[in-house]
Amino acid sequence: MAMGRPREFDTDTALDRAMEVFWQKGYEGASLAELTKAMGINPPSLYAAFGNKEALFRKAFDKYAAEKEAFFDELYRQPTARAVAEFYLRGAVTYLTDPKRPKGCLAINNTMACGDSADRIRQELLAKRAIGEARMRERLERAKREGDLPETADAAALTRYLSTVLQGMAVQALGGATREDLTQVAELAMKAWPST
Amino acid sequence: MAMGRPREFDTDTALDRAMEVFWQKGYEGASLAELTKAMGINPPSLYAAFGNKEALFRKAFDKYAAEKEAFFDELYRQPTARAVAEFYLRGAVTYLTDPKRPKGCLAINNTMACGDSADRIRQELLAKRAIGEARMRERLERAKREGDLPETADAAALTRYLSTVLQGMAVQALGGATREDLTQVAELAMKAWPST
DNA sequence: CTGCTTATTTATCTATCACTACAGAAAATC
DNA sequence: GATTTTCTGTAGTGATAGATAAATAAGCAG
């Protein structure tokens, strides 16, 4: 059987370009014209390789999530709740202001207000966020059992607080806040953390 | 001279409907079809009364800002920096989870990632945010002079922290966080506030 | 070289976008 | 009632959205 004509572009670098467009413009604000231009391909190549706009976004997001996998593995290996919280916020500052990448967070950008065409994507991202928050809550509950969080601490509330600060920093980064600005915010935010 | 045919709709209620559509869907995600349907008018009436989509958004935002004017007046009359911060975060929780209104914040929603057509609006909102943050910073600097914030306190960093928590709570509200959830977050956030 | 398969290019498709021309309708003025 | 003015509904405008048909090109198998 024949192999067919080989692809002339690299799907992974094309996907990376698409990811950055979605990151900067949002799912709704990223037009096919802009995507194909950034990816260096024509629409039929995009559709053959990725399906459609929604599928392209999902693959781009999977790539985005995969790039953060190592971070989360290391995050949850931190010895204490305080270390986890600090690692989380410091890491967030780093990622949100990476000079090689668009500012802010692809996931957070696409869970905001949007039209009907983007709402399915939005719901999917919210579901994934809920999974991530559950993981953090479990880690903090473990910390309570291990004694490095007081019995009175509310793991769910602390998790929501960390999420809130992360998301707020993502908004700030989009507004032009620098890495130094957000470092100050993260340090300040840690002052609310319960002492052992 | 003749007065002409009177308008058959109330511009203020129509503007309120438009505001809610922009709030829920974002500037980009709000189509003219959806806007006119929610406002109960046809496109020519919209354009005659408000100009175009951009001008409609600006008027809707002005209305949104006007509704919060009394809150900010009272906010900055609070006697101490701590009282200001508490009033700010408590008020934010109330507004972000008003059962009569869409969740979250119209302003924050429209400063996130967006396409080119919405970017002018985005820049305008960011400029207004900067003005608001400057006002808070000045209030906190006054607090340092009046002695209810320590000399070592960084007014700019504290302002950015408050902004960050507000914006994070807006993201949380869009994700389904309840008023109780956000109240916990606000109370936790206040633990980072410097003691006098 | 001849088939077979798949990718690429060009040129579209339909639906929807923000927006408006036009004609008729509703008031005030004369 | 006739005139003037402004609003309203219908029916569109051109532009762009996401997505594709068709023809061609490029590789492999025989």
Side-chain angles (χ1 to χ4, degrees), chain A residues 8 17 23 33 42 47 49 56 61 77 81 85 87 98 106 110 115 118 126-127 152 155 160:
Chain A
E8 291 185 6
R17 303 279 166 77
W23 197 337
N42 296 115
Y47 282 85
L56 175 63
F61 179 80
R77 278 200 305 270
F87 196 91
D98 184 345
L106 172 64
N110 286 285
L126 286 177
T152 58
R160 198 142 36 226

mmCIF file with all atom_site columns, all heavy atoms in Angstrom, chain A residues 8 17 23 33 42 47 49 56 61 77 81 85 87 98 106 110 115 118 126-127 152 155 160:
data_model
loop_
_atom_site.group_PDB
_atom_site.id
_atom_site.type_symbol
_atom_site.label_atom_id
_atom_site.label_alt_id
_atom_site.label_comp_id
_atom_site.label_asym_id
_atom_site.label_entity_id
_atom_site.label_seq_id
_atom_site.pdbx_PDB_ins_code
_atom_site.Cartn_x
_atom_site.Cartn_y
_atom_site.Cartn_z
_atom_site.occupancy
_atom_site.B_iso_or_equiv
_atom_site.pdbx_formal_charge
_atom_site.auth_seq_id
_atom_site.auth_comp_id
_atom_site.auth_asym_id
_atom_site.auth_atom_id
_atom_site.pdbx_PDB_model_num
ATOM 1   N N   . GLU A 1 8   ? 4.162   18.676 4.843  1.00 0.00 ? 8   GLU A N   1
ATOM 2   C CA  . GLU A 1 8   ? 5.290   19.598 4.649  1.00 0.00 ? 8   GLU A CA  1
ATOM 3   C C   . GLU A 1 8   ? 5.553   20.481 5.858  1.00 0.00 ? 8   GLU A C   1
ATOM 4   O O   . GLU A 1 8   ? 6.514   21.232 5.895  1.00 0.00 ? 8   GLU A O   1
ATOM 5   C CB  . GLU A 1 8   ? 5.040   20.475 3.419  1.00 0.00 ? 8   GLU A CB  1
ATOM 6   C CG  . GLU A 1 8   ? 5.094   19.683 2.120  1.00 0.00 ? 8   GLU A CG  1
ATOM 7   C CD  . GLU A 1 8   ? 4.957   20.573 0.896  1.00 0.00 ? 8   GLU A CD  1
ATOM 8   O OE1 . GLU A 1 8   ? 4.930   21.815 1.057  1.00 0.00 ? 8   GLU A OE1 1
ATOM 9   O OE2 . GLU A 1 8   ? 4.871   20.029 -0.216 1.00 0.00 ? 8   GLU A OE2 1
ATOM 10  N N   . ARG A 1 17  ? 2.202   27.392 17.563 1.00 0.00 ? 17  ARG A N   1
ATOM 11  C CA  . ARG A 1 17  ? 1.791   28.712 17.070 1.00 0.00 ? 17  ARG A CA  1
ATOM 12  C C   . ARG A 1 17  ? 0.312   28.945 17.330 1.00 0.00 ? 17  ARG A C   1
ATOM 13  O O   . ARG A 1 17  ? -0.101  30.022 17.743 1.00 0.00 ? 17  ARG A O   1
ATOM 14  C CB  . ARG A 1 17  ? 2.065   28.820 15.562 1.00 0.00 ? 17  ARG A CB  1
ATOM 15  C CG  . ARG A 1 17  ? 3.492   28.583 15.163 1.00 0.00 ? 17  ARG A CG  1
ATOM 16  C CD  . ARG A 1 17  ? 4.346   29.814 15.365 1.00 0.00 ? 17  ARG A CD  1
ATOM 17  N NE  . ARG A 1 17  ? 5.761   29.464 15.288 1.00 0.00 ? 17  ARG A NE  1
ATOM 18  C CZ  . ARG A 1 17  ? 6.429   29.232 14.142 1.00 0.00 ? 17  ARG A CZ  1
ATOM 19  N NH1 . ARG A 1 17  ? 5.797   29.336 13.004 1.00 0.00 ? 17  ARG A NH1 1
ATOM 20  N NH2 . ARG A 1 17  ? 7.706   28.911 14.163 1.00 0.00 ? 17  ARG A NH2 1
ATOM 21  N N   . TRP A 1 23  ? -4.004  31.863 23.015 1.00 0.00 ? 23  TRP A N   1
ATOM 22  C CA  . TRP A 1 23  ? -3.572  32.424 24.287 1.00 0.00 ? 23  TRP A CA  1
ATOM 23  C C   . TRP A 1 23  ? -3.757  33.948 24.272 1.00 0.00 ? 23  TRP A C   1
ATOM 24  O O   . TRP A 1 23  ? -4.301  34.538 25.211 1.00 0.00 ? 23  TRP A O   1
ATOM 25  C CB  . TRP A 1 23  ? -2.098  32.060 24.483 1.00 0.00 ? 23  TRP A CB  1
ATOM 26  C CG  . TRP A 1 23  ? -1.517  32.169 25.841 1.00 0.00 ? 23  TRP A CG  1
ATOM 27  C CD1 . TRP A 1 23  ? -1.952  32.933 26.877 1.00 0.00 ? 23  TRP A CD1 1
ATOM 28  C CD2 . TRP A 1 23  ? -0.355  31.475 26.318 1.00 0.00 ? 23  TRP A CD2 1
ATOM 29  N NE1 . TRP A 1 23  ? -1.117  32.763 27.954 1.00 0.00 ? 23  TRP A NE1 1
ATOM 30  C CE2 . TRP A 1 23  ? -0.139  31.875 27.640 1.00 0.00 ? 23  TRP A CE2 1
ATOM 31  C CE3 . TRP A 1 23  ? 0.534   30.565 25.728 1.00 0.00 ? 23  TRP A CE3 1
ATOM 32  C CZ2 . TRP A 1 23  ? 0.936   31.389 28.399 1.00 0.00 ? 23  TRP A CZ2 1
ATOM 33  C CZ3 . TRP A 1 23  ? 1.588   30.093 26.483 1.00 0.00 ? 23  TRP A CZ3 1
ATOM 34  C CH2 . TRP A 1 23  ? 1.778   30.498 27.815 1.00 0.00 ? 23  TRP A CH2 1
ATOM 35  N N   . ALA A 1 33  ? -8.207  32.779 9.758  1.00 0.00 ? 33  ALA A N   1
ATOM 36  C CA  . ALA A 1 33  ? -7.214  33.470 8.936  1.00 0.00 ? 33  ALA A CA  1
ATOM 37  C C   . ALA A 1 33  ? -5.949  33.717 9.743  1.00 0.00 ? 33  ALA A C   1
ATOM 38  O O   . ALA A 1 33  ? -4.838  33.486 9.272  1.00 0.00 ? 33  ALA A O   1
ATOM 39  C CB  . ALA A 1 33  ? -7.795  34.782 8.414  1.00 0.00 ? 33  ALA A CB  1
ATOM 40  N N   . ASN A 1 42  ? -2.341  26.462 5.027  1.00 0.00 ? 42  ASN A N   1
ATOM 41  C CA  . ASN A 1 42  ? -3.651  26.850 4.489  1.00 0.00 ? 42  ASN A CA  1
ATOM 42  C C   . ASN A 1 42  ? -4.748  26.096 5.224  1.00 0.00 ? 42  ASN A C   1
ATOM 43  O O   . ASN A 1 42  ? -4.496  25.037 5.797  1.00 0.00 ? 42  ASN A O   1
ATOM 44  C CB  . ASN A 1 42  ? -3.703  26.542 2.992  1.00 0.00 ? 42  ASN A CB  1
ATOM 45  C CG  . ASN A 1 42  ? -2.705  27.374 2.212  1.00 0.00 ? 42  ASN A CG  1
ATOM 46  O OD1 . ASN A 1 42  ? -1.754  26.837 1.632  1.00 0.00 ? 42  ASN A OD1 1
ATOM 47  N ND2 . ASN A 1 42  ? -2.868  28.665 2.205  1.00 0.00 ? 42  ASN A ND2 1
ATOM 48  N N   . TYR A 1 47  ? -7.417  21.678 8.666  1.00 0.00 ? 47  TYR A N   1
ATOM 49  C CA  . TYR A 1 47  ? -8.561  20.799 8.926  1.00 0.00 ? 47  TYR A CA  1
ATOM 50  C C   . TYR A 1 47  ? -8.179  19.337 8.802  1.00 0.00 ? 47  TYR A C   1
ATOM 51  O O   . TYR A 1 47  ? -8.672  18.494 9.551  1.00 0.00 ? 47  TYR A O   1
ATOM 52  C CB  . TYR A 1 47  ? -9.727  21.172 8.003  1.00 0.00 ? 47  TYR A CB  1
ATOM 53  C CG  . TYR A 1 47  ? -10.445 22.392 8.508  1.00 0.00 ? 47  TYR A CG  1
ATOM 54  C CD1 . TYR A 1 47  ? -10.005 23.672 8.193  1.00 0.00 ? 47  TYR A CD1 1
ATOM 55  C CD2 . TYR A 1 47  ? -11.533 22.271 9.362  1.00 0.00 ? 47  TYR A CD2 1
ATOM 56  C CE1 . TYR A 1 47  ? -10.638 24.795 8.697  1.00 0.00 ? 47  TYR A CE1 1
ATOM 57  C CE2 . TYR A 1 47  ? -12.172 23.388 9.869  1.00 0.00 ? 47  TYR A CE2 1
ATOM 58  C CZ  . TYR A 1 47  ? -11.725 24.648 9.538  1.00 0.00 ? 47  TYR A CZ  1
ATOM 59  O OH  . TYR A 1 47  ? -12.340 25.746 10.046 1.00 0.00 ? 47  TYR A OH  1
ATOM 60  N N   . ALA A 1 49  ? -5.243  18.077 9.464  1.00 0.00 ? 49  ALA A N   1
ATOM 61  C CA  . ALA A 1 49  ? -4.346  17.675 10.552 1.00 0.00 ? 49  ALA A CA  1
ATOM 62  C C   . ALA A 1 49  ? -5.012  17.747 11.921 1.00 0.00 ? 49  ALA A C   1
ATOM 63  O O   . ALA A 1 49  ? -4.670  16.974 12.818 1.00 0.00 ? 49  ALA A O   1
ATOM 64  C CB  . ALA A 1 49  ? -3.095  18.562 10.538 1.00 0.00 ? 49  ALA A CB  1
ATOM 65  N N   . LEU A 1 56  ? -8.747  21.850 17.279 1.00 0.00 ? 56  LEU A N   1
ATOM 66  C CA  . LEU A 1 56  ? -7.425  22.485 17.316 1.00 0.00 ? 56  LEU A CA  1
ATOM 67  C C   . LEU A 1 56  ? -7.177  23.112 18.679 1.00 0.00 ? 56  LEU A C   1
ATOM 68  O O   . LEU A 1 56  ? -6.092  22.970 19.252 1.00 0.00 ? 56  LEU A O   1
ATOM 69  C CB  . LEU A 1 56  ? -7.339  23.554 16.223 1.00 0.00 ? 56  LEU A CB  1
ATOM 70  C CG  . LEU A 1 56  ? -6.057  24.392 16.211 1.00 0.00 ? 56  LEU A CG  1
ATOM 71  C CD1 . LEU A 1 56  ? -4.840  23.515 15.939 1.00 0.00 ? 56  LEU A CD1 1
ATOM 72  C CD2 . LEU A 1 56  ? -6.156  25.517 15.181 1.00 0.00 ? 56  LEU A CD2 1
ATOM 73  N N   . PHE A 1 61  ? -4.591  23.145 23.864 1.00 0.00 ? 61  PHE A N   1
ATOM 74  C CA  . PHE A 1 61  ? -4.672  23.187 25.320 1.00 0.00 ? 61  PHE A CA  1
ATOM 75  C C   . PHE A 1 61  ? -3.974  21.975 25.949 1.00 0.00 ? 61  PHE A C   1
ATOM 76  O O   . PHE A 1 61  ? -3.306  22.110 26.982 1.00 0.00 ? 61  PHE A O   1
ATOM 77  C CB  . PHE A 1 61  ? -6.123  23.254 25.799 1.00 0.00 ? 61  PHE A CB  1
ATOM 78  C CG  . PHE A 1 61  ? -6.211  23.281 27.292 1.00 0.00 ? 61  PHE A CG  1
ATOM 79  C CD1 . PHE A 1 61  ? -5.997  24.466 27.984 1.00 0.00 ? 61  PHE A CD1 1
ATOM 80  C CD2 . PHE A 1 61  ? -6.459  22.125 28.017 1.00 0.00 ? 61  PHE A CD2 1
ATOM 81  C CE1 . PHE A 1 61  ? -6.036  24.499 29.366 1.00 0.00 ? 61  PHE A CE1 1
ATOM 82  C CE2 . PHE A 1 61  ? -6.503  22.148 29.405 1.00 0.00 ? 61  PHE A CE2 1
ATOM 83  C CZ  . PHE A 1 61  ? -6.298  23.334 30.081 1.00 0.00 ? 61  PHE A CZ  1
ATOM 84  N N   . ARG A 1 77  ? 4.912   17.259 45.388 1.00 0.00 ? 77  ARG A N   1
ATOM 85  C CA  . ARG A 1 77  ? 5.927   16.555 46.171 1.00 0.00 ? 77  ARG A CA  1
ATOM 86  C C   . ARG A 1 77  ? 6.546   17.458 47.239 1.00 0.00 ? 77  ARG A C   1
ATOM 87  O O   . ARG A 1 77  ? 7.397   16.999 48.022 1.00 0.00 ? 77  ARG A O   1
ATOM 88  C CB  . ARG A 1 77  ? 7.030   16.029 45.245 1.00 0.00 ? 77  ARG A CB  1
ATOM 89  C CG  . ARG A 1 77  ? 6.676   14.710 44.564 1.00 0.00 ? 77  ARG A CG  1
ATOM 90  C CD  . ARG A 1 77  ? 7.941   14.000 44.081 1.00 0.00 ? 77  ARG A CD  1
ATOM 91  N NE  . ARG A 1 77  ? 8.743   14.851 43.204 1.00 0.00 ? 77  ARG A NE  1
ATOM 92  C CZ  . ARG A 1 77  ? 8.621   14.910 41.878 1.00 0.00 ? 77  ARG A CZ  1
ATOM 93  N NH1 . ARG A 1 77  ? 7.719   14.168 41.274 1.00 0.00 ? 77  ARG A NH1 1
ATOM 94  N NH2 . ARG A 1 77  ? 9.393   15.699 41.162 1.00 0.00 ? 77  ARG A NH2 1
ATOM 95  N N   . ALA A 1 81  ? 2.366   21.951 53.497 1.00 0.00 ? 81  ALA A N   1
ATOM 96  C CA  . ALA A 1 81  ? 1.331   22.765 52.861 1.00 0.00 ? 81  ALA A CA  1
ATOM 97  C C   . ALA A 1 81  ? 1.875   24.141 52.504 1.00 0.00 ? 81  ALA A C   1
ATOM 98  O O   . ALA A 1 81  ? 1.611   24.672 51.417 1.00 0.00 ? 81  ALA A O   1
ATOM 99  C CB  . ALA A 1 81  ? 0.131   22.903 53.786 1.00 0.00 ? 81  ALA A CB  1
ATOM 100 N N   . ALA A 1 85  ? 2.043   25.825 48.818 1.00 0.00 ? 85  ALA A N   1
ATOM 101 C CA  . ALA A 1 85  ? 1.442   27.123 48.485 1.00 0.00 ? 85  ALA A CA  1
ATOM 102 C C   . ALA A 1 85  ? 2.481   28.070 47.890 1.00 0.00 ? 85  ALA A C   1
ATOM 103 O O   . ALA A 1 85  ? 2.228   28.757 46.897 1.00 0.00 ? 85  ALA A O   1
ATOM 104 C CB  . ALA A 1 85  ? 0.813   27.735 49.735 1.00 0.00 ? 85  ALA A CB  1
ATOM 105 N N   . PHE A 1 87  ? 5.361   27.269 46.433 1.00 0.00 ? 87  PHE A N   1
ATOM 106 C CA  . PHE A 1 87  ? 5.792   26.756 45.130 1.00 0.00 ? 87  PHE A CA  1
ATOM 107 C C   . PHE A 1 87  ? 4.749   27.073 44.055 1.00 0.00 ? 87  PHE A C   1
ATOM 108 O O   . PHE A 1 87  ? 5.077   27.453 42.927 1.00 0.00 ? 87  PHE A O   1
ATOM 109 C CB  . PHE A 1 87  ? 6.005   25.242 45.242 1.00 0.00 ? 87  PHE A CB  1
ATOM 110 C CG  . PHE A 1 87  ? 6.785   24.641 44.121 1.00 0.00 ? 87  PHE A CG  1
ATOM 111 C CD1 . PHE A 1 87  ? 8.161   24.516 44.195 1.00 0.00 ? 87  PHE A CD1 1
ATOM 112 C CD2 . PHE A 1 87  ? 6.141   24.180 42.980 1.00 0.00 ? 87  PHE A CD2 1
ATOM 113 C CE1 . PHE A 1 87  ? 8.882   23.943 43.151 1.00 0.00 ? 87  PHE A CE1 1
ATOM 114 C CE2 . PHE A 1 87  ? 6.854   23.610 41.939 1.00 0.00 ? 87  PHE A CE2 1
ATOM 115 C CZ  . PHE A 1 87  ? 8.227   23.492 42.013 1.00 0.00 ? 87  PHE A CZ  1
ATOM 116 N N   . ASP A 1 98  ? 6.347   34.747 31.673 1.00 0.00 ? 98  ASP A N   1
ATOM 117 C CA  . ASP A 1 98  ? 7.426   34.189 30.858 1.00 0.00 ? 98  ASP A CA  1
ATOM 118 C C   . ASP A 1 98  ? 7.661   35.098 29.650 1.00 0.00 ? 98  ASP A C   1
ATOM 119 O O   . ASP A 1 98  ? 6.755   35.307 28.840 1.00 0.00 ? 98  ASP A O   1
ATOM 120 C CB  . ASP A 1 98  ? 7.015   32.785 30.390 1.00 0.00 ? 98  ASP A CB  1
ATOM 121 C CG  . ASP A 1 98  ? 8.122   32.084 29.614 1.00 0.00 ? 98  ASP A CG  1
ATOM 122 O OD1 . ASP A 1 98  ? 9.082   32.771 29.193 1.00 0.00 ? 98  ASP A OD1 1
ATOM 123 O OD2 . ASP A 1 98  ? 8.033   30.861 29.429 1.00 0.00 ? 98  ASP A OD2 1
ATOM 124 N N   . LEU A 1 106 ? -3.557  30.704 29.314 1.00 0.00 ? 106 LEU A N   1
ATOM 125 C CA  . LEU A 1 106 ? -4.476  30.250 28.267 1.00 0.00 ? 106 LEU A CA  1
ATOM 126 C C   . LEU A 1 106 ? -5.784  29.739 28.858 1.00 0.00 ? 106 LEU A C   1
ATOM 127 O O   . LEU A 1 106 ? -6.873  30.039 28.346 1.00 0.00 ? 106 LEU A O   1
ATOM 128 C CB  . LEU A 1 106 ? -3.798  29.146 27.453 1.00 0.00 ? 106 LEU A CB  1
ATOM 129 C CG  . LEU A 1 106 ? -4.650  28.396 26.432 1.00 0.00 ? 106 LEU A CG  1
ATOM 130 C CD1 . LEU A 1 106 ? -5.131  29.329 25.339 1.00 0.00 ? 106 LEU A CD1 1
ATOM 131 C CD2 . LEU A 1 106 ? -3.879  27.240 25.820 1.00 0.00 ? 106 LEU A CD2 1
ATOM 132 N N   . ASN A 1 110 ? -9.729  31.690 28.743 1.00 0.00 ? 110 ASN A N   1
ATOM 133 C CA  . ASN A 1 110 ? -10.849 31.103 28.022 1.00 0.00 ? 110 ASN A CA  1
ATOM 134 C C   . ASN A 1 110 ? -11.947 30.555 28.928 1.00 0.00 ? 110 ASN A C   1
ATOM 135 O O   . ASN A 1 110 ? -12.766 29.744 28.497 1.00 0.00 ? 110 ASN A O   1
ATOM 136 C CB  . ASN A 1 110 ? -10.327 30.036 27.057 1.00 0.00 ? 110 ASN A CB  1
ATOM 137 C CG  . ASN A 1 110 ? -9.637  30.658 25.861 1.00 0.00 ? 110 ASN A CG  1
ATOM 138 O OD1 . ASN A 1 110 ? -10.285 31.176 24.963 1.00 0.00 ? 110 ASN A OD1 1
ATOM 139 N ND2 . ASN A 1 110 ? -8.316  30.663 25.873 1.00 0.00 ? 110 ASN A ND2 1
ATOM 140 N N   . GLY A 1 115 ? -19.117 34.265 23.859 1.00 0.00 ? 115 GLY A N   1
ATOM 141 C CA  . GLY A 1 115 ? -20.325 33.985 23.102 1.00 0.00 ? 115 GLY A CA  1
ATOM 142 C C   . GLY A 1 115 ? -20.646 32.506 23.072 1.00 0.00 ? 115 GLY A C   1
ATOM 143 O O   . GLY A 1 115 ? -19.921 31.685 23.642 1.00 0.00 ? 115 GLY A O   1
ATOM 144 N N   . ALA A 1 118 ? -18.091 29.745 21.873 1.00 0.00 ? 118 ALA A N   1
ATOM 145 C CA  . ALA A 1 118 ? -16.941 29.411 22.719 1.00 0.00 ? 118 ALA A CA  1
ATOM 146 C C   . ALA A 1 118 ? -17.364 28.771 24.032 1.00 0.00 ? 118 ALA A C   1
ATOM 147 O O   . ALA A 1 118 ? -16.519 28.356 24.824 1.00 0.00 ? 118 ALA A O   1
ATOM 148 C CB  . ALA A 1 118 ? -16.117 30.675 22.995 1.00 0.00 ? 118 ALA A CB  1
ATOM 149 N N   . LEU A 1 126 ? -13.564 24.715 32.614 1.00 0.00 ? 126 LEU A N   1
ATOM 150 C CA  . LEU A 1 126 ? -14.017 24.813 34.003 1.00 0.00 ? 126 LEU A CA  1
ATOM 151 C C   . LEU A 1 126 ? -14.003 23.444 34.675 1.00 0.00 ? 126 LEU A C   1
ATOM 152 O O   . LEU A 1 126 ? -13.625 23.321 35.846 1.00 0.00 ? 126 LEU A O   1
ATOM 153 C CB  . LEU A 1 126 ? -15.423 25.418 34.053 1.00 0.00 ? 126 LEU A CB  1
ATOM 154 C CG  . LEU A 1 126 ? -15.529 26.925 33.778 1.00 0.00 ? 126 LEU A CG  1
ATOM 155 C CD1 . LEU A 1 126 ? -16.983 27.374 33.776 1.00 0.00 ? 126 LEU A CD1 1
ATOM 156 C CD2 . LEU A 1 126 ? -14.723 27.720 34.801 1.00 0.00 ? 126 LEU A CD2 1
ATOM 157 N N   . ALA A 1 127 ? -14.380 22.424 33.923 1.00 0.00 ? 127 ALA A N   1
ATOM 158 C CA  . ALA A 1 127 ? -14.371 21.069 34.489 1.00 0.00 ? 127 ALA A CA  1
ATOM 159 C C   . ALA A 1 127 ? -12.942 20.657 34.835 1.00 0.00 ? 127 ALA A C   1
ATOM 160 O O   . ALA A 1 127 ? -12.694 20.063 35.896 1.00 0.00 ? 127 ALA A O   1
ATOM 161 C CB  . ALA A 1 127 ? -14.993 20.094 33.485 1.00 0.00 ? 127 ALA A CB  1
ATOM 162 N N   . THR A 1 152 ? -7.837  23.406 62.522 1.00 0.00 ? 152 THR A N   1
ATOM 163 C CA  . THR A 1 152 ? -8.909  24.366 62.232 1.00 0.00 ? 152 THR A CA  1
ATOM 164 C C   . THR A 1 152 ? -8.867  24.873 60.788 1.00 0.00 ? 152 THR A C   1
ATOM 165 O O   . THR A 1 152 ? -9.790  25.543 60.341 1.00 0.00 ? 152 THR A O   1
ATOM 166 C CB  . THR A 1 152 ? -8.777  25.575 63.170 1.00 0.00 ? 152 THR A CB  1
ATOM 167 O OG1 . THR A 1 152 ? -7.476  26.148 62.982 1.00 0.00 ? 152 THR A OG1 1
ATOM 168 C CG2 . THR A 1 152 ? -8.925  25.158 64.628 1.00 0.00 ? 152 THR A CG2 1
ATOM 169 N N   . ALA A 1 155 ? -9.355  23.342 54.231 1.00 0.00 ? 155 ALA A N   1
ATOM 170 C CA  . ALA A 1 155 ? -8.605  23.013 53.012 1.00 0.00 ? 155 ALA A CA  1
ATOM 171 C C   . ALA A 1 155 ? -9.294  23.566 51.770 1.00 0.00 ? 155 ALA A C   1
ATOM 172 O O   . ALA A 1 155 ? -8.640  24.064 50.851 1.00 0.00 ? 155 ALA A O   1
ATOM 173 C CB  . ALA A 1 155 ? -8.442  21.498 52.901 1.00 0.00 ? 155 ALA A CB  1
ATOM 174 N N   . ARG A 1 160 ? -9.328  27.534 47.439 1.00 0.00 ? 160 ARG A N   1
ATOM 175 C CA  . ARG A 1 160 ? -10.006 28.582 46.674 1.00 0.00 ? 160 ARG A CA  1
ATOM 176 C C   . ARG A 1 160 ? -9.215  29.891 46.741 1.00 0.00 ? 160 ARG A C   1
ATOM 177 O O   . ARG A 1 160 ? -9.162  30.645 45.790 1.00 0.00 ? 160 ARG A O   1
ATOM 178 C CB  . ARG A 1 160 ? -11.428 28.778 47.211 1.00 0.00 ? 160 ARG A CB  1
ATOM 179 C CG  . ARG A 1 160 ? -12.314 29.500 46.255 1.00 0.00 ? 160 ARG A CG  1
ATOM 180 C CD  . ARG A 1 160 ? -13.741 28.952 46.260 1.00 0.00 ? 160 ARG A CD  1
ATOM 181 N NE  . ARG A 1 160 ? -14.148 28.543 47.587 1.00 0.00 ? 160 ARG A NE  1
ATOM 182 C CZ  . ARG A 1 160 ? -14.764 27.397 47.843 1.00 0.00 ? 160 ARG A CZ  1
ATOM 183 N NH1 . ARG A 1 160 ? -15.067 26.573 46.883 1.00 0.00 ? 160 ARG A NH1 1
ATOM 184 N NH2 . ARG A 1 160 ? -15.102 27.101 49.070 1.00 0.00 ? 160 ARG A NH2 1
#
